[in-house]
Amino acid sequence: MLSQNFIKITDLSVVIIDECHHARNNHPMHEFMRHYRMATNKSQLPRVIGLTGVLLKGNKLNKIREELENLEAIFHGKIVTVSTIEEYQNVMT
């Protein structure tokens, strides 16, 4: 819709992206974030919330920090997750 100019990115207030770990290369989510980066009126950009159950897919254990920093850069944000089993249990109960 953005690429075809049916709407402008500044027409949106909140965008929720599920399975955001797929936002790589030419994926539509990555394309959406390209529109976000290219917007001229930065003060009217929507809030973007990326959700996922899996931050990394495949055999990327040797470059976890690089992959997570790449996702943060794509979404112009910060990854927030639990760091202990106790935090996980608090979220799940």
Side-chain angles (χ1 to χ4, degrees):
M1 293 176 73
L2 291 172
S3 296
Q4 299 299 316
N5 293 318
F6 290 119
I7 61 172
K8 295 180 291 211
I9 197 155
T10 55
D11 293 336
L12 306 170
S13 58
V14 176
V15 175
I16 300 172
I17 299 176
D18 194 18
E19 300 293 322
C20 67
H21 63 276
H22 291 296
R24 305 234 190 278
N25 304 320
N26 294 326
H27 194 279
M29 288 181 236
H30 197 210
E31 179 66 14
F32 171 82
M33 291 309 297
R34 188 184 67 74
H35 284 278
Y36 189 95
R37 283 190 306 278
M38 302 303 286
T40 55
N41 192 348
K42 304 288 186 196
S43 66
Q44 292 183 345
L45 287 173
R47 301 278 313 241
V48 177
I49 302 168
L51 305 172
T52 187
V54 178
L55 282 173
L56 302 174
K57 288 197 82 151
N59 189 11
K60 298 179 182 176
L61 293 178
N62 58 340
K63 52 184 182 173
I64 289 174
R65 180 176 300 277
E66 178 184 336
E67 290 292 324
L68 296 181
E69 287 173 352
N70 187 33
L71 273 177
E72 286 179 334
I74 290 169
F75 285 101
H76 301 273
K78 185 81 174 144
I79 292 173
V80 179
T81 187
V82 297
S83 58
T84 66
I85 191 67
E86 290 81 16
E87 289 178 355
Y88 172 77
Q89 289 170 339
N90 287 336
V91 169
M92 298 308 289
T93 58

